[in-house]
Amino acid sequence: DARVTQTPRHKVTEMGQEVTMRCQPILGHNTVFWYRQTMMQGLELLAYFRNRAPLDDSGMPKDRFSAEMPDATLATLKIQPSEPRDSAVYFCASGLSHPSQGPSYEQYFGPGTRLTVT
Amino acid sequence: GENVEQHPSTLSVQEGDSAVIKCTYSDSASNYFPWYKQELGKRPQLIIDIRSNVGEKKDQRIAVTLNKTAKHFSLHITETQPEDSAVYFCAASFYNQGGKLIFGQGTELSVKP
């Protein structure tokens, strides 16, 4: 049963510290999405990649957030410096896009990283 | 801009009754509409989806209907059970945006035994 994995599952840090979250997409999936979930804002898309190239990061605060895919099996989301308002659950999801058929649409979510910034 | 509205925000039903959750979307180019179920502390899980060339899709006790003209779609759960209690999210996706999903705000469904 292939699943998206994320690490760490929980992170508590102090304001101003750097936070790095990691995601391993399902093997063979070439599209990766980062979402943030809070009670107030619900599920927000932060950024997404296809074949490791960023397609859209307009949902992400650029001054402190950055997202990368160093290789096909790893996506990272970094916050530097972190602030209390960044406290949320961060989900990664992966999917498969075919060159000729377009996106497969289905997205499969990882377990999330629960971030608390004090 | 792209927007998905979901109603109601909370829904309480008796076990065995039906539950209906409705969503509207703003962009007529939307062509894929999934529904996710999220249990407390867990990841959202895809439970059913529908594409814009289909009006209705059913999978056992759950069904989704789509009205493209009115730009709304609905989730129907029949014979509800306590394990159906969760938060349900609708979403809309856009073919020419690489599968990007815009989510509704969620509906907290409570099924009372």
Side-chain angles (χ1 to χ4, degrees):
Chain A
D1 183 24
R3 288 199 168 195
V4 176
T5 58
Q6 289 184 247
T7 57
R9 295 291 308 278
H10 302 274
K11 176 73 176 178
V12 180
T13 191
E14 292 183 348
M15 183 173 67
Q17 296 298 305
E18 178 178 299
V19 176
T20 298
M21 291 169 272
R22 294 175 174 81
C23 167
Q24 184 171 20
I26 292 172
L27 189 63
H29 280 190
N30 61 354
T31 311
V32 173
F33 303 82
W34 282 105
Y35 293 92
R36 176 171 62 185
Q37 186 175 38
T38 61
M39 288 296 294
M40 293 301 295
Q41 299 298 325
L43 271 165
E44 302 173 276
L45 178 66
L46 297 176
Y48 65 108
F49 295 76
R50 183 193 294 163
N51 296 326
R52 297 175 57 198
L55 287 189
D56 186 347
D57 61 1
S58 59
M60 208 163 64
K62 303 284 193 311
D63 56 337
R64 299 184 299 108
F65 285 60
S66 61
E68 295 179 345
M69 279 201 75
D71 62 60
T73 63
L74 177 65
T76 62
L77 180 67
K78 193 174 293 188
I79 309 174
Q80 167 63 21
S82 57
E83 296 181 3
R85 59 182 167 147
D86 300 330
S87 297
V89 180
Y90 290 81
F91 286 103
C92 169
S94 73
L96 182 61
S97 289
H98 299 278
S100 58
Q101 299 172 29
S104 65
Y105 296 110
E106 290 87 356
Q107 294 184 24
Y108 298 93
F109 281 73
T113 294
R114 183 175 295 277
L115 174 65
T116 303
V117 183
T118 60
Chain B
E2 303 141 354
N3 189 44
V4 176
E5 296 285 337
Q6 183 171 347
H7 301 279
S9 57
T10 60
L11 180 59
S12 181
V13 300
Q14 287 294 132
E15 183 178 359
D17 288 350
S18 295
V20 180
I21 303 170
K22 298 182 179 182
C23 290
T24 59
Y25 58 98
S26 59
D27 192 334
S28 56
S30 300
N31 57 0
Y32 172 69
F33 308 92
W35 287 87
Y36 285 82
K37 175 184 180 181
Q38 186 177 26
E39 296 174 348
L40 191 62
K42 301 282 183 65
R43 72 187 79 193
Q45 290 200 295
L46 179 66
I47 56 171
I48 195 168
D49 55 17
I50 192 166
R51 312 220 171 183
S52 57
N53 58 348
V54 175
E56 184 174 357
K57 184 176 178 181
K58 206 171 179 181
D59 182 3
Q60 299 183 345
R61 294 186 300 107
I62 59 173
V64 57
T65 58
L66 171 65
N67 183 328
K68 282 204 73 179
T69 304
K71 291 193 283 187
H72 67 69
F73 56 112
S74 302
L75 177 72
H76 304 253
I77 306 174
T78 59
E79 299 171 29
T80 53
Q81 300 167 3
E83 51 264 40
D84 294 329
S85 296
V87 178
Y88 290 81
F89 293 94
C90 63
S93 185
F94 309 86
Y95 179 88
N96 60 355
Q97 292 192 36
K100 170 181 172 179
L101 285 178
I102 303 298
F103 282 87
Q105 288 298 95
T107 296
E108 184 175 359
L109 173 65
S110 175
V111 180
K112 299 189 186 309

